[in-house]
Amino acid sequence: MAAPSDEEGAVGSRCHHHTMAMLDVPFLPFCAFLGTLGLLCVAMVGTWCQHWRGGFSLDGSSRTFNWHPVLMVAGLVVLYGAAALVYRIPNTWSGPKLPWKVLHGSLALGAFVLSVLGLVAVFRFHNAQGTPNMYSLHSWMGLATVLLFSCQWAAGFGAFLLPWAPAWLRALYKPIHVFFGSTILLLSVASCLSGINEKLFFSLKNGTMEYKLLPAEAVFANTLGLLILIFGVLVVAALARPSWKRPDSDSPESRQ
């Protein structure tokens, strides 16, 4: 086989650059799309629980359980994803970082509060119905994710928000914080997907609505799961994109 000529190589290079230019989506439109997708996920999980699962209540019945998926998707996936992308906003690349640190920490704290309330809902439902707690892989994964999230938030608060944290500690912990940030999001998505599947298996059991017959509820919930997966993958992809990362700076202002 003959080696490609210089002209062919140049054409290939131009095609490659053209393809990369087409894939180079600006961050703000991407962020708007991602926000719309996140709101759609929350709306769909709320619709699922309201339309097919009987709505919401605090009486310990299955309607109390319905708060669990809504709060978990809204907190551990959507709001947490928003917190993770704060430092990808171009406005954060100049000036002091402290306001953006506070915003990042506040969004993450809000996500943590919603996730804890979601755990309270499912434990209250189980205790009221006499159902054992923490018996499924979904429950183990979900609780581990929330516990890891709490450690991540506490460590991040101590390292990046407390004024007496030394610079060497922040530099040492930063890559660890970034790694576990993406890991927690992926664990959150996995927990939501396993929870949706588990709920469908438990709920769709009679002869006319069996899960394997793919009734309308199963189609809707499976679609919700795919959208949650797409949301998580897009957030992780945005975090990994080099051109959207905040430039590091050794200036005192960047360490403020």
Side-chain angles (χ1 to χ4, degrees):
M1 180 181 292
S5 64
D6 293 341
E7 183 179 352
E8 291 173 338
V11 171
S13 178
R14 285 196 298 269
C15 291
H16 173 74
H17 288 304
H18 181 66
T19 302
M20 294 304 295
M22 292 176 62
L23 296 176
D24 190 15
V25 181
F27 174 77
L28 293 181
F30 173 86
C31 194
F33 169 77
L34 201 59
T36 303
L37 180 59
L39 292 176
L40 179 61
C41 291
V42 176
M44 286 187 66
V45 70
T47 301
W48 177 32
C49 294
Q50 179 66 43
H51 181 72
W52 280 285
R53 298 291 102 215
F56 303 91
S57 177
L58 298 175
D59 58 2
S61 66
S62 60
R63 294 183 298 168
T64 299
F65 171 86
N66 289 341
W67 287 108
H68 174 68
V70 173
L71 292 171
M72 287 305 189
V73 171
L76 271 186
V77 177
V78 178
L79 196 57
Y80 184 84
L85 291 177
V86 164
Y87 290 119
R88 299 303 185 267
I89 301 174
N91 293 343
T92 68
W93 294 2
S94 61
K97 292 176 64 176
L98 183 58
W100 301 105
K101 288 182 180 182
V102 172
L103 177 61
H104 173 75
S106 299
L107 290 174
L109 180 60
F112 177 71
V113 170
L114 291 180
S115 64
V116 170
L117 293 176
L119 290 180
V120 170
V122 69
F123 279 119
R124 181 172 181 179
F125 165 71
H126 282 173
N127 294 336
Q129 301 297 318
T131 303
N133 293 306
M134 304 304 300
Y135 63 88
S136 67
L137 176 61
H138 164 67
S139 61
W140 295 359
M141 187 184 306
L143 185 60
T145 302
V146 175
L147 292 176
L148 185 60
F149 185 11
S150 65
C151 296
Q152 167 89 342
W153 192 91
F157 179 82
F160 300 120
L161 279 175
L162 294 182
W164 52 79
W168 65 265
L169 177 61
R170 297 179 182 181
L172 177 66
Y173 176 63
K174 181 180 177 180
I176 300 174
H177 186 78
V178 172
F179 169 78
F180 278 104
S182 298
T183 300
I184 291 170
L185 179 62
L186 293 177
L187 288 174
S188 300
V189 170
S191 299
C192 288
L193 298 185
S194 62
I196 290 172
N197 202 241
E198 182 179 287
K199 184 62 177 177
L200 289 175
F201 274 121
F202 285 161
S203 301
L204 304 180
K205 295 185 293 186
N206 62 60
T208 59
M209 291 185 61
E210 290 186 27
Y211 190 13
K212 65 182 179 181
L213 300 178
L214 203 64
E217 180 181 356
V219 174
F220 188 89
N222 286 346
T223 302
L224 167 64
L226 287 177
L227 293 179
I228 291 173
L229 177 61
I230 293 171
F231 179 89
V233 169
L234 289 179
V235 172
V236 173
L239 293 175
R241 190 179 181 92
S243 62
W244 288 351
K245 291 183 179 180
R246 188 185 197 276
D248 288 328
S249 174
D250 296 326
S251 65
E253 288 80 10
S254 70
R255 296 194 300 265
Q256 182 176 330

